[in-house]
Amino acid sequence: MSAALAGCATDAAQRTDLDLPAKNQSQWRLPLDQYMPPLLNVEYDAQQVFVHKCMAEAGHEWVVRLDPPGTTTGESWNAAGRKLFSVELGETFGYGNSGEIARSPEAEQAWLDGERSRRAVADQAPEAAESCFDQSTAVLDDEPSWQVYDLAMEIAGGAAGDAQESPEVGEAASRWRECMAEVGLPDLPAVPEEMPPASVDDGGGPAIDAPYSVGDEFDVSAEERRVAVADATCQDSSGYARALYDAEWHAQAEAMKSHADDLVRYGHQLEEQRARAEAYLAENAPEAR
């Protein structure tokens, strides 16, 4: 492609309207979130209901647990599945986290039991399960979502790397290290993303960066809480969290321009696909809508 044509293509992409969400650092909301697989996924729910009905016709029980209306993500997560970190979360979970979906212990246990049951049925009747999933794709037409999810994750990965390399983030990381010096860690890493170090994460339990699960409770040590709270406090006071968030936001917004046509097209397809999923659930699982 000639330079003139390349320039025209770039200009055309930049003229395509991309709706960017309002910035929200506490939820780490980023431009590409709208194109990421959501934790509360209506398409997944519709697929599970379809497979439940399909497997029943084949003589198999496919247990489905749908979250009731109004269900939210767990406090450690944003809607796009990004793990959050703050002083408050550090006080509660250390470097661990809540469950991805805010459920009661009983609801979480029921969901886990359903997941185990589905895996067992899929192992016992793999051909029937594969056929039902293939049929669900044809009926719900959910193929476009994975195309946009793959594209969004590819763009986001490059943007995250660019953000880490920005001078502002590097300078803030130096200030963070100065702040963290008072914590007294013998193996303080160069950047917050490498926390916690081995002196805090002894590998003795699931607390570090592990999802909470019913029946697998863990006690976060006082030392882990102390370090996590200091870490989050220093990320705020040094300006690191703000610098990284702003750099990642800017990197995503800039990278999206060269993919604007695809993102806008996929965005419309996602809206239509989610509407189909909602309509299917309203007809086949009205209690969940």
Side-chain angles (χ1 to χ4, degrees):
M1 179 183 291
S2 68
L5 288 176
C8 289
T10 300
D11 291 342
Q14 292 177 347
R15 286 196 298 270
T16 302
D17 291 332
L18 284 170
D19 293 328
L20 302 184
K23 295 179 78 172
N24 185 328
Q25 183 185 335
S26 66
Q27 284 294 304
W28 214 266
R29 184 182 298 148
L30 294 170
L32 282 166
D33 284 2
Q34 59 193 309
Y35 304 107
M36 294 289 190
L39 286 184
L40 291 165
N41 194 336
V42 64
E43 302 152 73
Y44 174 82
D45 288 348
Q47 180 190 60
Q48 290 298 307
V49 171
F50 181 95
V51 173
H52 165 78
K53 295 167 69 70
C54 177
M55 290 292 280
E57 293 175 358
H60 304 285
E61 182 181 12
W62 190 265
V63 176
V64 174
R65 305 293 186 196
L66 299 180
D67 292 306
T71 299
T72 62
T73 57
E75 58 190 306
S76 295
W77 306 90
N78 73 7
R82 177 143 188 167
K83 184 181 172 183
L84 305 174
F85 187 57
S86 67
V87 170
E88 294 75 18
L89 290 171
E91 288 176 339
T92 303
F93 301 104
Y95 286 99
N97 47 265
S98 70
E100 291 183 340
I101 307 299
R103 300 185 179 104
S104 68
E106 295 78 14
E108 181 69 13
Q109 188 63 60
W111 194 93
L112 291 172
D113 290 344
E115 177 69 11
R116 282 190 285 268
S117 173
R118 290 191 294 274
R119 289 180 180 176
V121 173
D123 289 340
Q124 295 166 5
E127 293 183 359
E130 182 178 356
S131 175
C132 286
F133 276 103
D134 288 344
Q135 291 178 57
S136 76
T137 296
V139 171
L140 299 171
D141 191 18
D142 60 3
E143 188 62 32
S145 65
W146 294 108
Q147 294 172 346
V148 69
Y149 295 158
D150 288 345
L151 176 60
M153 287 187 280
E154 179 182 347
I155 300 172
D162 291 343
Q164 289 285 348
E165 295 175 2
S166 73
E168 294 81 6
V169 172
E171 293 167 5
S174 296
R175 295 193 296 271
W176 170 82
R177 279 184 57 84
E178 293 175 3
C179 178
M180 287 293 290
E182 300 180 1
V183 179
L185 296 178
D187 49 356
L188 180 68
V191 293
E193 282 65 39
E194 296 176 5
M195 291 288 286
S199 61
V200 178
D201 179 10
D202 62 4
I208 304 299
D209 199 22
Y212 174 87
S213 59
V214 175
D216 189 27
E217 293 86 357
F218 53 81
D219 293 323
V220 181
S221 70
E223 173 64 4
E224 183 185 332
R225 293 179 195 271
R226 180 186 76 87
V227 174
V229 168
D231 182 3
T233 300
C234 286
Q235 286 194 42
D236 288 340
S237 65
S238 67
Y240 182 85
R242 168 57 67 178
L244 180 62
Y245 177 71
D246 287 344
E248 192 168 0
W249 174 281
H250 176 75
Q252 282 198 9
E254 286 298 307
M256 287 168 66
K257 291 178 180 179
S258 61
H259 299 277
D261 290 335
D262 286 336
L263 289 171
V264 169
R265 183 177 73 256
Y266 284 144
H268 292 321
Q269 291 175 344
L270 274 180
E271 291 177 3
E272 295 171 356
Q273 183 174 312
R274 288 169 182 167
R276 284 193 300 273
E278 285 284 6
Y280 182 84
L281 286 172
E283 180 178 350
N284 294 276
E287 71 282 357
R289 307 327 300 152

